[in-house]
Every structure is written in structure tokens, then in C-alpha cells.
Amino acid sequence: MKKLSLVMIVRNEEKKLERCLKSVQGSVDDIVIVDTGSDDRTLEIARTYHAKLFQYPWNNHFAEVRNYALSKSTGDWNLVLDADEWVTKGNRQQLNNFMDNQQAIGQIRITSSFFDGADSFAHCYTSRLIPRNVFYKGKIHEQIDSTLPRINCDLEVAHDGYYRTDKSERNLSLLLSEIQDYPRDPYLHYQTAKEYYRISDYENANKHYALSYSFLSGTESYYPNVVVDYLYNIMKYGNMQKGLEIVQSEESRIGDFPDFYFVCGLFYMNLVSSDITKYIYLFPQIETSYLKALEIGETSEYLTVEGTGSYAAAYNLGVFYETTGNREKAFRYYKEAEKYNYEPAKRRLADIS
């Protein structure tokens, strides 16, 4: 049987580390933790789980610290997690099946919680199960440096590192430093744009979304997310005509992505409202977009926000129909959203009943 090690880098994670370590009990053979300067109970908690502990001074370079941790692992395979993540589904037998039969990087499904006016969740597949002698590159939002294929495996993880937490100051400093070395890297510009968006600096976000979009080849796995997030920022920053050009040019490329049609529904609504005389001909696209999002559903392999292919799209359709006087259809789609226990839909049903 292949040996599997959990490999982590941590600093001051006393509030979350035990949740992570407890979740992998019975699934990993040993635990390797590199600490970058904790002054709380992090190391004490790690010792209770018999972790192999190492120290590495923080140097503003995530890949270097991550690679140091990997160098201390004796596993045939390494599972890489952060302290703010924990396993919610999957077992050792499933991991063994993957490790025994694949020459690949294992992608695990991560559900991230965040607050955007309401509690929300995003799902994505991320490369975290890696064979020995595979390492990382990048100061921040580090990526696995390997040509091995990426294959989904049966492991699901929850993540709350960005839930009501602001890491933008640290992240922007590292990202902007990295961009100086790689000024045409679309991924770095994309991550930078997202950090500016989080702090409501839509002007700088727009600058980096535009750069990322211009440098993309179209084959990147995160390409659809750049498009969608760029459109959200355009609705905050302005330049709706540019947004319309993006919407009309991207449907043929990412038409299997529910988040794309969901943001299109919002975009068309904002566009028509901005100049009714000029854009009224696009009014039917609001309905069409949400219907397409529901038709696709939530089976996308992209990073997708929960609800864009189900309850959120159904609720927005309900609002559309209610405001256009079609109470029968409004009731129908509010009921559809209510099936997911979606509170806004419950409230509207109570009002129109």
C-alpha cells in the first residue's frame, strides 16, 4: 500500500488546526507540518496529533515554504491542505484506488464559504493530491509545477479562510511583487483583480481584469471565471458597452457554465436600466439568461457559485416575472427556489400569497 502524508504550512492557527487534523484521521499515514512563526497554541495542537514539526522563517514566498514542507515528507503521495480546510467526504480506500491506479495529480472538490451580502458558497476542483517529487511555483496562489494530467478524485474539502476575513493587504503586496517579474501572466492579474474587488477598489480591479482577459489564450481552466468576475466588476465600475461586447463574444466559448448565464441575467438587467431607449431590445435576454442557467444546472466542472444553476437563478426569474406582471410564473419559480430552503423565496411567496 502506498504511504500517504498530510503536508501543511501553518502560522497561528490554534482556532482551526484541530478541525483539519481531526478530519483526516484514518485517511493519512503521517502528518508533516511546517510552522512559520506561531506564537499561539498551534504547535501544541499539532503535537497532540503526532505531527512531524519543522520551522521555516516566513519569507513572503508560499511556494518555497510549501516545497520545504514537501521535502520533509516521506510519503509516496502527499495530500496538501491548509489549516482553514477540512475533509468532509472521502475515505482511505478511495484514496488508495486513486494512488494505485493513476499517474496524475489528484484534484479534490473544495467548497469555500464567503460573505457577499449573504452567506454564499463556491465549488471548484483544485490539485492537492500529488505524488512524491512534485513541487510548487509562485509567491502566492502557488501552482503545482508539473505536466502530469489532472484527474478528479473522491475527496471533498470545506474551506472558510475568506469568510468574513480580509487578507487583501498581504495578498496584494505579494501579487504586485510577482507581477513585476511576470507582467503578462493572466493568472496573477486575475488574482490581483479579485483582491481589489474584495476591498471595493473597482477601478484597480477593472485594470487587472482587463489585463488578465487580454493575456488569456482561452485554454486556461480558469478562463470562464475571469470572464464572469470581469462582468461583475464592470457592473460596479462602469463601461457597460465593454461588458456587452464580452457577453456577446463569450457565449460560444463558455456556454456550458451556469455562472456565465447567471451574471448575464444581472448584466442585461443593469444594461437595460442604464439606458432603456437604447437597450430595451435586450430586455428578453434577462429571462433567457436565467432559463439557460437553470437548464445547465449545477454540474459544471468550473469554479461555480452555489445557486447560479438552481435556487438563485429560479428566484431571480421569479422576481423578473413578478415585476412584469406574470404572477403565475413568479409563483412557480419562487416555489422552485423554496425547494432549496432559500429564505428570500420563502418571503416572496408569503407576500404574494
Side-chain angles (χ1 to χ4, degrees):
M1 185 174 71
K2 301 291 177 63
K3 180 180 179 180
L4 175 61
S5 297
L6 173 67
V7 179
M8 306 178 69
I9 61 174
V10 300
R11 183 177 182 180
N12 290 338
E13 293 288 359
E14 65 177 7
K15 294 181 180 179
K16 298 185 177 182
L17 180 59
E18 185 165 16
R19 179 183 61 184
C20 176
L21 298 181
K22 188 176 182 179
S23 75
V24 299
Q25 285 186 308
S27 294
V28 299
D29 298 301
D30 67 354
I31 299 169
V32 175
I33 292 181
V34 170
D35 182 76
T36 62
S38 294
D39 56 14
D40 62 1
R41 294 181 56 252
T42 294
L43 298 180
E44 177 186 338
I45 294 168
R47 289 189 185 98
T48 66
Y49 286 83
H50 308 291
K52 299 174 183 177
L53 295 173
F54 302 90
Q55 297 289 329
Y56 194 96
W58 178 242
N59 63 348
N60 292 316
H61 201 300
F62 277 94
E64 288 184 6
V65 185
R66 191 85 68 188
N67 290 339
Y68 176 76
L70 288 168
S71 75
K72 297 300 181 181
S73 170
T74 58
D76 300 301
W77 286 76
N78 297 303
L79 174 62
V80 179
L81 295 178
D82 290 328
D84 54 18
E85 299 171 334
W86 66 102
V87 174
T88 57
K89 185 178 180 181
N91 57 50
R92 181 57 187 264
Q93 184 56 54
Q94 292 170 316
L95 293 172
N96 284 342
N97 289 340
F98 185 93
M99 295 185 292
D100 290 340
N101 295 293
Q102 299 291 349
Q103 291 294 320
I105 306 295
Q107 295 194 133
I108 66 175
R109 189 174 190 262
I110 296 184
T111 297
S112 296
S113 55
F114 63 98
F115 186 81
D116 186 21
D119 288 348
S120 301
F121 302 90
H123 308 286
C124 69
Y125 280 89
T126 303
S127 300
R128 296 293 190 85
L129 184 62
I130 60 179
R132 185 170 178 79
N133 295 322
V134 171
F135 297 97
Y136 283 84
K137 63 180 179 179
K139 286 183 180 179
I140 185 170
H141 296 296
E142 62 279 13
Q143 300 291 299
I144 291 175
D145 189 11
S146 173
T147 58
L148 287 171
R150 273 61 170 171
I151 298 177
N152 294 349
C153 62
D154 296 320
L155 193 68
E156 296 187 14
V157 168
H159 168 240
D160 63 2
Y162 284 94
Y163 180 75
R164 296 181 181 269
T165 300
D166 185 6
K167 300 179 181 179
S168 295
E169 183 177 353
R170 179 204 69 182
N171 291 355
L172 279 170
S173 176
L174 295 175
L175 285 163
L176 293 172
S177 172
E178 192 84 328
I179 283 174
Q180 289 182 357
D181 296 328
Y182 304 99
R184 297 180 63 84
D185 187 314
Y187 185 74
L188 291 175
H189 284 290
Y190 174 46
Q191 294 296 339
T192 302
K194 290 203 296 182
E195 294 297 340
Y196 278 122
Y197 186 89
R198 285 191 185 102
I199 60 174
S200 303
D201 186 345
Y202 304 121
E203 181 176 0
N204 273 313
N206 188 77
K207 169 187 171 183
H208 289 280
Y209 276 127
L211 287 168
S212 177
Y213 188 63
S214 68
F215 294 145
L216 287 166
S217 68
T219 61
E220 296 85 356
S221 61
Y222 58 92
Y223 181 95
N225 302 104
V226 174
V227 174
V228 167
D229 292 350
Y230 191 8
L231 288 170
Y232 276 112
N233 193 77
I234 283 174
M235 285 187 282
K236 296 284 189 179
Y237 176 67
N239 197 1
M240 297 294 282
Q241 185 58 41
K242 176 64 176 179
L244 182 59
E245 293 170 9
I246 293 171
V247 166
Q248 293 177 335
S249 67
E250 291 297 339
E251 182 172 8
S252 61
R253 196 192 305 256
I254 57 173
D256 59 343
F257 188 26
D259 297 54
F260 172 70
Y261 285 113
F262 186 85
V263 74
C264 283
L266 294 173
F267 178 82
Y268 282 123
M269 182 176 67
N270 279 269
L271 183 66
V272 172
S273 298
S274 70
D275 192 331
I276 293 178
T277 302
K278 183 176 181 180
Y279 295 116
I280 190 61
Y281 74 98
L282 292 171
F283 184 75
Q285 292 300 317
I286 302 172
E287 177 188 21
T288 299
S289 297
Y290 290 130
L291 287 172
K292 286 184 176 179
L294 287 172
E295 180 183 346
I296 296 168
E298 307 215 324
T299 60
S300 172
E301 293 296 305
Y302 304 125
L303 169 62
T304 183
V305 175
E306 186 176 294
T308 56
S310 59
Y311 59 85
Y315 174 77
N316 284 6
L317 264 175
V319 173
F320 174 82
Y321 289 129
E322 185 177 4
T323 56
T324 54
N326 192 331
R327 289 172 59 86
E328 182 180 347
K329 281 192 173 181
F331 187 82
R332 170 187 168 188
Y333 282 99
Y334 285 145
K335 290 292 290 184
E336 186 66 28
E338 186 192 31
K339 293 178 183 177
Y340 296 83
N341 203 32
Y342 191 49
E343 288 298 330
K346 292 181 180 179
R347 291 194 292 270
R348 291 308 308 141
L349 283 170
D351 288 343
I352 67 175
S353 295

